[in-house]
Amino acid sequence: MISAAENEWQSLAPDGTKVQYFDQCGSTNSLATEAGAKGLPGNTWFVAGKQSAGKGRRGNAWLSETGNLYSSYLARPAVLISELATLPYLVSLAVRDTFIALGCKSESVQCKWPNDVLINEKKASGILIESNAGSGMKCDFIVIGIGLNLKNFPPDARFPATSVLDETSSLVKVTAAFRVLSRALQQRIDSWRPNDVGSMIEEWRACGWGIGMRREIRTNNESFFATLEGVDDTGGLSLRLDDGTMRCLYAGEVFGPPINH
């Protein structure tokens, strides 16, 4: 029997979308991945009131206190794995749409490469996209994990963090945030054409954090400074190193602003 809570969450989602709600779980991304591997159809959200083992990028833990939104979307797009490179830009823009709809000023909400969204230059969301390949390098399914800092945020994060409450003085209900986010993401996915992403990339560039500025870049193997020149249609970050040479980065993190030498 479907619980009253699940009925409520289901009513918030776009038509044709299913919702599985949990008061607490280890990780919504893990639940969605397990369900995808078992053949669950796409267009399914997994939402939790709290996570005990929230997952961030690069193996980092994700703070999961009650009052924030913790969700993962299971989808089965008819695309190749190689066509997923620009998906983080789409998801970041959907999260940006959501924060603006929840009362944040448009000019204060920026997208930070590769898939973070900032409010007043502080991280307010966590996005983790995982994929599973089918035959012939076709995508079997993807899981789009999205956490929104509505009420809480880690005070000791490597990149300064914040919440909607801290930035707007308004406490947004988790249900209200999910209703906005699920629709924003659906609209973005419905209009996504992996081989025609020029306008989406231009939109991302227009609200991209640090573009044209010198920042610290960290990868698994190195740390260096470079000027962010922009992003391209393949998902890469174009960098101008201090010696004037150009480099395109596909994995890593951006910090800053650096101390000028």
Side-chain angles (χ1 to χ4, degrees):
M1 180 179 292
I2 298 176
S3 67
E6 280 197 317
N7 272 327
E8 178 186 9
W9 284 94
Q10 185 63 62
S11 70
L12 301 170
D15 292 341
T17 304
K18 300 294 185 181
V19 181
Q20 294 189 21
Y21 175 76
F22 305 84
D23 288 330
Q24 181 171 330
C25 72
S27 159
T28 58
N29 255 44
S30 294
L31 290 176
T33 299
E34 291 168 6
K38 293 177 180 178
L40 185 75
N43 301 333
T44 302
W45 282 93
F46 294 78
V47 184
K50 188 175 183 178
Q51 297 180 122
S52 60
K55 297 165 62 178
R57 289 182 61 246
R58 302 164 71 86
N60 296 321
W62 181 256
L63 181 70
S64 303
E65 296 182 5
T66 302
N68 291 348
L69 174 62
Y70 310 110
S71 62
S72 297
Y73 183 63
L74 172 66
R76 295 185 182 275
V79 299
L80 300 175
I81 288 292
S82 60
E83 294 177 320
L84 297 176
T86 58
L87 184 59
Y89 298 115
L90 178 153
V91 179
S92 296
L93 288 169
V95 171
R96 180 175 185 267
D97 295 339
T98 300
F99 281 139
I100 293 171
L102 295 178
C104 299
K105 294 180 179 179
S106 176
E107 61 272 19
S108 73
V109 187
Q110 295 176 287
C111 296
K112 173 179 169 289
W113 187 87
N115 58 3
D116 288 333
V117 180
L118 313 180
I119 305 175
N120 290 323
E121 302 197 73
K122 290 169 282 187
K123 184 173 177 175
S125 74
I127 298 171
L128 177 62
I129 301 174
E130 300 179 291
S131 61
N132 189 69
S135 60
M137 292 310 295
K138 292 182 179 179
C139 178
D140 183 15
F141 65 85
I142 58 174
V143 172
I144 302 173
I146 302 174
L148 302 184
N149 292 351
L150 304 175
K151 180 182 178 182
N152 311 295
F153 63 91
D156 57 350
R158 291 190 298 172
F159 191 94
T162 191
S163 67
V164 173
L165 175 60
D166 263 49
E167 299 302 325
T168 68
S169 299
S170 297
L171 181 58
V172 176
K173 290 184 177 180
V174 179
T175 49
F178 174 73
R179 186 179 190 281
V180 175
L181 174 65
S182 60
R183 283 162 169 74
L185 184 61
Q186 192 66 58
Q187 290 173 359
R188 292 281 180 178
I189 289 178
D190 287 348
S191 63
W192 182 39
R193 303 291 181 268
N195 294 316
D196 183 17
V197 296
S199 60
M200 181 181 74
I201 294 298
E202 282 300 320
E203 183 181 0
W204 191 98
R205 288 188 186 117
C207 60
W209 176 82
I211 301 300
M213 299 181 181
R214 187 170 180 266
R215 294 289 189 244
E216 181 185 2
I217 313 298
R218 300 179 192 174
T219 71
N220 286 337
N221 303 315
E222 58 185 333
S223 177
F224 58 94
F225 292 108
T227 299
L228 313 188
E229 295 292 331
V231 296
D232 61 28
D233 291 0
T234 67
L237 177 66
S238 298
L239 304 172
R240 183 180 298 276
L241 304 183
D242 288 348
D243 64 5
T245 59
M246 298 297 297
R247 178 175 173 182
C248 192
L249 191 69
Y250 289 94
E253 293 188 68
V254 181
F255 295 83
I259 298 174
N260 292 322
H261 300 290

